[in-house]
Amino acid sequence: MPSMARNCLVVNLDRCIGCYSCEVACKMENDIAMGERWNKVLQIEPAGVFPDVQTYWLPVQCQQCEGAPCVHVCPTGASYRDEETGKVLVDKSKCIGCRYCMMACPYGVRSWNKEQKVVEKCTMCSHLTSAGEKPACVKNCCGTARFYGDLDDPNSDVSKELAKYPAESIHHLPDVGNGPISAYILSPKIAKWAGEDVHQTTSKYMTTEGSVD
Amino acid sequence: MAKTSISRRGFVKLSAFAGAAVAMASATTQNLMQVKPAMAATTGETQKIRTICRACLNNCGMVAHVRDGKVVKLEGDPQDPMNKGAACAKGLAGIQALYNPNRIKYPMKRKGERGSNEWERISWGQAMDEISEVMWEWYQKEGPKCLVTSTGGGGNPQFFSPARFLSVWGGGNFFEPGCAQCYLPRNHMEFCLNGTADTSLADGPVTEVYLPGYLPDDKCTPTKTYVMWGVGPSYHGIGSTGRVVTELRNNGMKTVVIDPRLTPDAAKADVWLPIRPGTDVALMLCWINYIIEHDLWAKDFCREWTNLPFLVHEDTRLTYRASELGLGGEDEYVVWDKKTNAAVAMPYPFPSDGSIDPEMFGTYTLPNGEKARTAFQIMKEHVAEWTLEKAAEVCWLDADKIEEAIKIYVEGCPNAGISLGVATDQTINSAQAAQGDAIMDILMGCIRQPGSIVQDRPCYVEPCNYVVQPFGLHHPDHPLRMPESEANARLGYTEHKGLGHWLASHIPTVLKAIETGEPYRPRIWIERSGNKLVMIGNAKRLYDAMMTTELNVHMYMHWTTTSVCLADYVLPTAEWLETAYAQDRLNTYAIRRPCTQLYEAVDECMHWSWLAAALAKRGHQRCIDSFNPDIAGKFYGTYWKTYEEYKDYVGYFVGSFYYDREDWNWEKFDAQAPSEYQTIEEYAAKSYNSHLFPDNDDPSKPAGFHTTSKRCEPYFDGNILLGNTGAIDGTGSMEPATDVFPKSNNYNPLPYYLEPYESPVEGDPGYDANYPYTLTQGRLPVFHHGTLRNTPYTRELYPYPETWINPETAKEIGVEDGDWLWLESKRGKTQGKARITKSVAPKVIYQERFWFPELLDSKDPNRAWQAMNINLLTQNSDDCPFNDVYGTYVLRGVQINIKKADSAPEGIWTEPEQFTAWMPQESENTGGGNAVYGA
């Protein structure tokens, strides 16, 4: 798949101000049912000795894994990687509602659509991005913290934003062999990245709670 | 025109939940009679309408996608110079607010007992006729004092509509729960001291921070240090303020955040000072002391452009005028000259030839033998006790961190500044905090400098920037201005004269008047805002008082506890997506365009117009005159018979004030808005060192500052004159304020610290071991004040208020994360839900105001405002003292205790699916009440 684009979202947590605009923008744009979220903002609880504590807000959505477990486990091919854009998507017409993919996803970012009895997830607003617009969460973000584009294109918004930061400030959600490509920027002066210790952070975002019926 | 169906799933999906909707239907949700559609087109095309939001008071640029007369999508306007495409959760929730099943759709009249929640639909004509009849009856019997009007400051674009109505009515009282508790102390006092502007980021005057990236780089000095004192831009005007502070912070601006709560801005600050709620002035006095002690103040600026070298009369505490000592004129002050070692007159402006070199500090003997200190000497002595260590002890802070914060601030000066937020407005020291904030920036010369927070870019029409204004606000001789005798009789105004700046009355005194009939009894309450029972301190007192009135009318968009529990009539009011308005956005002027009109909702300006028309019909002469252009005048406009007339006034106002065009109407405004009314270079330059610009009246002199002395007045003796006469220059005609706390005949020229009346400090007179914890409150990013508790996507994010408790304190109380709680103060009790977090200090408790729309249709609707409302605990009672200048009652820093509760309040919704019942509902486009009623 080397020729395939690597489109994803990059979130700059130095700039994320925990306002939840991206959650609501996503839900409005995609008409997501109550109780379901394709994009969720989690606060990493303040750590340290008061008042010397650090906290940050972590928006989590599909991480566009290179070896996407949701695609591997799907028995019908409903979960697939789009050849042109490289995006991990769901073809709802093929989804039989077995929800294996929801269990396979390490980040709990797939949602069950009760009405249609299919699995859904962040499409990076494919209906907008295919028309040259940015995803709703990126457009409306109040911290200008969210970026969309192709990691392989040095002129994309994601590449340009990542290029501004040293390696120590660039992070990924814990990789259990799935190869998440969505990246997070968090500078040490703002807070220590809490994602490396999988056990410590499991309860914070490595969960499917709230997503499985 | 047939019902338009919307392709968006939220609307189609409604049918799937029809069962749920029917199940909760009751008096407040039925009555869906159809009226004649007037506005909807059915072409299927999507129009993109540029408009401005009003989910809070920031007015961010928005693009509304409108199809077949329905708003189907909102997004931030990328062309807006302040929010640049950003839109927050509150703004994006606008569609769910607009099409909410809880909208008040038609005028309604109470059928059963007050509070029984039984209603009948009536016509606009009947509503206006019956309400005005009661008003006219009491007016004839008791005069204009029988009426109280009120609004909410945060969201209402027509903030001054109730006061405008009172000016026509000829008297009576106006209040809003912000005002003395939100923004008035800063808006008034900071301007009095710095003669320039207040420092509120949320309310608009702090525009300097928006210039980097907009003003060409070679003309721009970005702010170097920003001190956010009780300011949380990430949580208030998020698309504009949160965005811009993030931008500057990421580009190297240093920040200090003073806030009991670890907000996102606190988390990202260079220094966070988690101050004990209610002790801000103690910390300010420490900063001032440090700046003086370490000789950090701006020497030239303070000598030439402040009243700090002026000599002060020891008894009156007023600065001497040269004429008093036979040294010069009445408009000259007195300083001690180093060269001649004598008292001399200080003319205006400061002599540039070096002929006078005033002593800044010291005590001197005047020609008449009296001893006098300089204002700066008095200030120095006044703050001397406030060492870093003392402030650390009082404010529960670390002395080294305080020092680090001061140094970061000082390093950035004068391209720096302090914004003061709402927090201090909600303490007994509200006026003093505003004084303290202004003094610090004055001492450091952070006034009208590039990058400084205080800038001279005033709205053309103060106070604030509201198009619709009370008659005669700026014209004392206007025939429809409220008569002076009536204005001076406003309740609580004599004691708390700062209220006059917003034409407001003192809420506790209004309630006392209703309770006791002294000095007179208000009979009728007309209220336009969401939920006074949740927004006013000591809410039970408001409820008890308002249950005894003769008539209560509620104007709002959604059913709330005010309408259900207290109103006799409810009048449907338009959502922001249905209204027309105008707002400056930096150097541009933006427009709020009506995107649709639902049910019989009407912009509030028409409610008041129609009431005036109904009273005119009965013979109320001032109401008759308010429709006469020769009397009302073009500046204020007449009252409006139609919404088109109103819109044309808005167009005229903007054209004449901002574009020098006398011929604008709505059509002409609409044709070009939003647009620049001056270039960004002009906009920026009009403030920098503008005190040096030629004076308008006498171009041979510099313009100076907008104060009595034309200098900044950090020693604010005008405060004494305000208290004694009602005017800061001593020209007012009012009786002196005498019954103020602490007992004094005067307001104080310098800020002083009062320990909170209810104190957590053992040994303090206000200490009570039964109430060991200090409660504070503060904004959430998904609600504005009492709004949006019934929009599904915001309520899903925050279904009930969290009670933040430090782990140490949680252990002491014996509660765990997720426990339901009882919080209790001397005034009442309510529930909370524990979140154990190091986001607050030990002993400090944070919870935000809340109410539950789902309980309005329960057996006891009063539980909707009582179940989890911290304003049942806050002050607003006669036994607790008020701020002297503004009459502020205390909302932050009250003492409580906490116990574990057995369960959640009965009947509240906590699961996301429950809110599905409030998803957008099919609705008719009718043209609003404008289409069915014309006065």
Side-chain angles (χ1 to χ4, degrees), chain A residues 5 33 39 58 71 79 104 116 119-120 127 129 134 150 155 183 185 187 194 197:
Chain A
N39 167 51
L58 181 74
V71 173
S79 279
Q116 299 175 16
V119 171
E120 296 177 332
H127 59 297
T129 46
K134 290 175 184 172
D150 181 358
N155 290 317
I185 296 164
S187 300
D197 179 354

Side-chain angles (χ1 to χ4, degrees), chain B residues 3-4 6 10-12 14-15 17-18 20-22 24-25 28-32 70 95-103 105 598-599 916-924:
Chain B
K3 266 201 246 182
T4 50
I6 288 186
F11 292 80
V12 174
L14 182 77
S15 57
F17 294 94
V22 168
M24 64 87 65
T28 57
T29 52
Q30 58 196 222
N31 202 358
L32 292 167
K70 303 241 172 168
I95 291 180
Q96 294 190 342
L98 176 70
Y99 296 108
N100 198 291
N102 295 301
R103 285 292 297 272
K105 294 162 183 158
L598 304 182
Y599 316 111
T916 305
W918 296 338
M919 278 299 215
Q921 193 177 76
E922 282 288 347
S923 52
E924 290 299 312

Side-chain angles (χ1 to χ4, degrees), chain B residues 299-313:
Chain B
K299 304 291 177 310
D300 291 345
F301 184 78
C302 290
R303 184 174 62 247
E304 296 174 18
W305 285 107
T306 74
N307 67 358
L308 289 170
F310 294 1
L311 292 168
V312 177
H313 193 294

Side-chain angles (χ1 to χ4, degrees), chain B residues 114 131 134-135 523-525 549-553 568-569:
Chain B
R114 193 177 270 180
I131 294 165
V134 179
M135 293 170 75
R523 307 283 183 177
I524 298 164
W525 181 37
T549 54
E550 301 293 332
L551 174 69
N552 291 337
V553 179
D568 305 313
Y569 291 86

Side-chain angles (χ1 to χ4, degrees), chain B residues 316-523:
Chain B
T316 64
R317 297 192 290 167
L318 298 171
T319 47
Y320 278 104
R321 298 299 176 103
S323 54
E324 290 174 64
L325 298 171
L327 295 170
E330 270 181 35
D331 56 353
E332 292 179 320
Y333 296 82
V334 179
V335 298
W336 193 267
D337 181 38
K338 283 182 192 170
K339 288 180 182 164
T340 56
N341 199 27
V344 299
M346 171 56 76
Y348 180 82
F350 188 90
S352 56
D353 58 4
S355 56
I356 300 178
D357 186 7
E359 291 283 1
M360 297 303 289
F361 297 101
T363 308
Y364 304 96
T365 306
L366 298 172
N368 63 8
E370 288 172 353
K371 293 220 181 241
R373 291 175 288 170
T374 68
F376 213 175
Q377 179 68 30
I378 295 171
M379 180 183 288
K380 182 180 174 176
E381 291 172 22
H382 180 74
V383 299
E385 64 175 304
W386 288 99
T387 60
L388 291 169
E389 290 70 29
K390 177 164 177 176
E393 187 191 339
V394 169
C395 303
W396 295 355
L397 294 170
D398 178 88
D400 292 340
K401 285 231 170 163
I402 299 174
E403 186 172 26
E404 190 187 347
I406 300 172
K407 284 181 171 171
I408 290 173
Y409 166 57
V410 169
E411 271 166 27
C413 295
N415 315 111
I418 304 169
S419 268
L420 191 59
V422 67
T424 56
D425 291 341
Q426 306 196 332
T427 69
I428 190 164
N429 262 164
S430 61
Q432 292 70 34
Q435 284 173 273
D437 176 36
I439 289 170
M440 290 184 279
D441 273 353
I442 294 168
L443 289 182
M444 296 312 301
C446 296
I447 310 284
R448 306 184 183 186
Q449 298 306 306
S452 68
I453 294 306
V454 175
Q455 295 293 346
D456 186 32
R457 299 187 186 106
C459 316
Y460 283 70
V461 279
E462 286 283 348
C464 314
N465 205 356
Y466 293 100
V467 172
V468 171
Q469 296 180 39
F471 289 100
L473 182 63
H474 307 282
H475 303 83
D477 298 328
H478 194 285
L480 292 177
R481 186 181 163 104
M482 186 186 285
E484 194 176 349
S485 58
E486 292 293 337
N488 289 352
R490 289 188 297 237
L491 294 161
Y493 181 30
T494 302
E495 302 311 330
H496 312 294
K497 292 192 175 70
L499 289 165
H501 189 55
W502 286 10
L503 316 179
S505 300
H506 184 230
I507 294 172
T509 309
V510 171
L511 298 180
K512 197 173 182 179
I514 294 172
E515 289 158 1
T516 64
E518 296 297 334
Y520 53 86
R521 191 186 299 277
R523 307 283 183 177

